[in-house]
Amino acid sequence: MRNKIIYWIATAWLSLGMVSTGIVQTIQMKEEADMFAHLGYPAYLMIILGVWKLLGVIAVLVPKYPLVKEWAYAGFFFTMSGAVFSHFAAGDGAKEYFGPALLLVLTVVSWYFRPADRKLQG
């Protein structure tokens, strides 16, 4: 029961974070566009990442399809670790690391504590 509670809390916060950043990126909000430019990324990448985040949340929350969930978690991990590294490479301060680092931790916690019916059997 403890693991299930940990899973759902982490997954709820992860989903909220990915949906909110996914929407902000998909609509190319000015502050997000400025951040992408600061990091040296093209503006069109925001739309790609935003849509993938939204689809990833659906994949993680919908029952069944464990292989798709694995891909979604991997995508979240690569995206958030890339964001942390990008802020590091740009010389940003700790404030800029917090969001991506938190989502990275939530990704790992959600993945680790997911119930057996949401895991690949093999």
Side-chain angles (χ1 to χ4, degrees), residues 38-39 41 81-94 96-97 100:
H38 165 72
L39 295 174
Y41 293 117
S81 60
V84 169
F85 179 78
S86 294
H87 286 292
F88 175 76
D92 291 338
E96 303 304 329
Y97 289 87

Side-chain angles (χ1 to χ4, degrees), residues 68-87:
V68 177
K69 289 180 192 320
E70 290 292 321
W71 280 90
Y73 279 120
F76 289 165
F77 183 86
F78 296 140
T79 301
M80 292 302 100
S81 60
V84 169
F85 179 78
S86 294
H87 286 292

Side-chain angles (χ1 to χ4, degrees), residues 23 37 39 44 52 62-63 68 73 83 86 102 108-109 117:
I23 290 170
L39 295 174
Y44 67 82
W52 283 348
V62 169
V68 177
Y73 279 120
S86 294
L102 176 60
V108 172
V109 171
D117 65 335

Side-chain angles (χ1 to χ4, degrees), residues 12-88:
W13 281 105
L14 172 64
S15 298
L16 180 63
M18 289 298 178
V19 165
S20 63
T21 59
I23 290 170
V24 162
Q25 290 170 342
T26 303
I27 67 171
Q28 296 184 315
M29 200 166 114
K30 181 180 178 352
E31 293 81 1
E32 192 71 7
D34 292 345
M35 180 60 70
F36 264 66
H38 165 72
L39 295 174
Y41 293 117
Y44 67 82
L45 185 60
M46 284 189 294
I47 296 171
I48 295 168
L49 290 175
V51 170
W52 283 348
K53 285 178 181 182
L54 297 173
L55 293 174
V57 169
I58 293 168
V60 166
L61 292 178
V62 169
K64 301 186 183 177
Y65 311 108
L67 181 60
V68 177
K69 289 180 192 320
E70 290 292 321
W71 280 90
Y73 279 120
F76 289 165
F77 183 86
F78 296 140
T79 301
M80 292 302 100
S81 60
V84 169
F85 179 78
S86 294
H87 286 292
F88 175 76

Side-chain angles (χ1 to χ4, degrees), residues 2-17:
R2 177 185 71 94
N3 288 357
K4 197 174 217 178
I5 292 169
I6 293 170
Y7 166 77
W8 280 111
I9 289 171
T11 303
W13 281 105
L14 172 64
S15 298
L16 180 63

